[in-house]
């Protein structure tokens, strides 16, 4: 059949107005940092709400690994997108590695190596 993937939105990309989508996300999750929510929305699109689940506070996001990466998002990558390596999460899926110190990247790699559940 005809090629359709070039014009089809990626999963989570069904957004007509990113500004309106982001405003709604920030309104519905007022206790979370607006800049962090924007990064999450850019990474996951409409699936950002599913990543957040019942989270209402930063504490609900799980451990902070630095660079804006939290345990809840890591669990999403592991369970919904089958990401298993630290490199895949830090560099391919999020680019959070750009905003982490070398020590934070090493600690996250050690965490991923020792914990296959998150």
């Amino acid at each position: 059949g005809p090629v359709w993937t070039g014009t089809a939105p990626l999963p989570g990309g069904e957004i007509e107005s990113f500004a309106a989508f982001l405003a709604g996300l920030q309104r519905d999750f007022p206790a979370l940092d607006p800049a962090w929510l924007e990064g999450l929305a850019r990474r996951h699109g409409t699936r950002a709400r599913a990543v957040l689940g019942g989270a209402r506070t930063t504490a609900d996001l799980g451990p902070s690994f630095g660079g804006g990466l939290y345990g809840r998002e890591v669990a999403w990558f592991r369970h919904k997108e089958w990401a298993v390596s630290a490199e895949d999460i830090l560099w391919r899926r999020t680019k959070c590695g750009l905003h982490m110190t070398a020590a934070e990247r090493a600690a996250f790699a050690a965490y991923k190596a020792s914990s296959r559940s998150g």
Side-chain angles (χ1 to χ4, degrees):
V3 176
W4 59 271
T5 57
T7 58
L10 293 172
E14 313 84 6
I15 299 173
E16 289 188 32
S17 166
F18 184 79
F21 172 73
L22 179 60
L25 200 61
Q26 291 170 337
R27 179 195 64 240
D28 294 344
F29 297 89
L32 298 177
D33 177 57
W36 180 80
L37 282 171
E38 181 176 355
L40 188 76
R42 291 193 182 282
R43 289 191 293 277
H44 297 279
T46 57
R47 291 183 172 188
R49 290 181 179 279
V51 174
L52 288 166
R56 292 291 175 237
T57 67
T58 302
D60 296 335
L61 299 176
S64 172
F65 299 106
L69 184 63
Y70 287 89
R72 183 174 289 267
E73 188 174 12
V74 172
W76 173 270
F77 286 129
R78 171 77 173 134
H79 299 291
K80 300 293 185 176
E81 297 187 15
W82 308 285
V84 294
S85 74
E87 293 78 17
D88 185 21
I89 293 170
L90 294 181
W91 302 111
R92 190 172 77 82
R93 296 173 191 266
T94 69
K95 304 292 187 265
C96 286
L98 294 170
H99 308 287
M100 298 168 87
T101 66
E104 287 170 333
R105 290 189 299 270
F108 181 68
Y111 168 83
K112 285 304 297 162
S114 68
S115 171
R116 295 294 179 207
S117 63

